[in-house]
Amino acid sequence: YGWRWLWDYGTGDMGNDGVHDLDIARWGLGVDFPTEVVCAGDKLAFGGDIQETPDTQVATFKFADPQSMLVYEQRLWSPYHQEGYENGVVFYGTDGYIAIGRRSWRLVEKRNKVAVEQQVQFADSPHLQKFLTSVKTNATPHCDIEEGYRSTLLAHLGNLSYRVGRPLRFDRNSQTCPGDAEANGLLKRLGRKDFLIPEQI
């Protein structure tokens, strides 16, 4: 499991578990590629090991169409859960907010009045079944590879901003950080012989 915490092999927890919440948040906001990304963080919990990735991160993603902002927070070793969920997504609106966890969700109106709260059963089976059906029928799965790419890109861009130590601009057409050679150099890993990823597939 520890390979996730080394930059040569993994993406820290933002790319491990956090990408699932980033996916839900991006889907709920109706956005695809960010225009700006800034991320700060640190390794606060333990010392004396070889972990390179942060255990604490805050990343902000700005989107132009529709104009919106997504804030990602990671506090791996904290016993305190925001809005009561260890993992989850919260959509804040003008008249209330919706908090979505892995096994429940709730709608909270003004003055912190809980309007709806519901427990849900979490299961991988429906996702696996939809994938297998898509393979058999050539139908598009709920989370198509392009959708998965867009959500995964958020985790990579957040980590990239953390690693270079500054905000980044992102161009959706070129899929690069304009004018930032250092950041662009980290957008792709150099593969070992026999493990090279081709430019075109």
Side-chain angles (χ1 to χ4, degrees):
Y1 196 87
W3 61 268
R4 291 167 171 83
W5 320 133
L6 302 172
W7 290 125
D8 281 346
Y9 307 102
T11 54
D13 204 53
M14 188 186 295
N16 174 40
D17 201 24
V19 71
H20 301 291
D21 296 319
L22 287 168
D23 184 56
I24 294 169
R26 193 184 63 75
W27 170 66
L29 290 172
V31 294
D32 52 18
F33 298 110
T35 56
E36 298 175 49
V37 179
V38 62
C39 180
D42 207 345
K43 182 170 180 271
L44 301 176
F46 304 108
D49 59 27
I50 63 170
Q51 179 176 337
E52 298 172 328
T53 61
D55 59 28
T56 304
Q57 281 179 285
V58 177
T60 302
F61 305 88
K62 284 188 178 181
F63 298 88
D65 186 27
Q67 184 178 0
S68 52
M69 182 180 292
L70 189 163
V71 179
Y72 170 84
E73 294 185 45
Q74 168 184 301
R75 294 176 300 277
L76 274 186
W77 312 115
S78 173
Y80 309 108
H81 303 149
Q82 188 164 347
E83 305 294 358
Y85 295 109
E86 181 177 2
N87 294 82
V89 177
V90 182
F91 295 99
Y92 294 99
T94 55
D95 294 322
Y97 68 87
I98 295 176
I100 303 167
R102 300 269 167 99
R103 289 180 161 69
S104 66
W105 66 275
R106 70 178 173 275
L107 169 64
V108 181
E109 297 177 339
K110 288 182 178 179
R111 296 183 182 19
N112 289 318
K113 178 187 172 192
V114 177
V116 180
E117 187 161 18
Q118 187 169 354
Q119 299 293 314
V120 294
Q121 190 69 25
F122 178 80
D124 287 329
S125 300
H127 301 291
L128 298 173
Q129 186 59 52
K130 176 62 179 172
F131 174 76
L132 293 174
T133 300
S134 297
V135 170
K136 291 176 183 177
T137 65
N138 204 27
T140 302
H142 289 310
C143 187
D144 183 57
I145 189 71
E146 290 293 330
E147 291 300 313
Y149 166 71
R150 291 180 185 108
S151 296
T152 303
L153 180 65
L154 295 184
H156 288 302
L157 290 173
N159 279 329
L160 190 55
S161 173
Y162 166 80
R163 292 181 74 182
V164 299
R166 63 179 170 276
L168 300 174
R169 289 182 303 112
F170 186 73
D171 179 72
R172 64 181 299 132
N173 296 318
S174 65
Q175 297 287 291
T176 62
C177 301
D180 196 327
E182 181 185 11
N184 288 328
L186 292 171
L187 279 173
K188 183 177 178 182
R189 292 184 176 138
L190 295 175
R192 298 190 313 268
K193 185 184 175 189
D194 299 327
F195 295 95
L196 296 174
I197 300 172
E199 290 295 328
Q200 299 277 331
I201 297 178

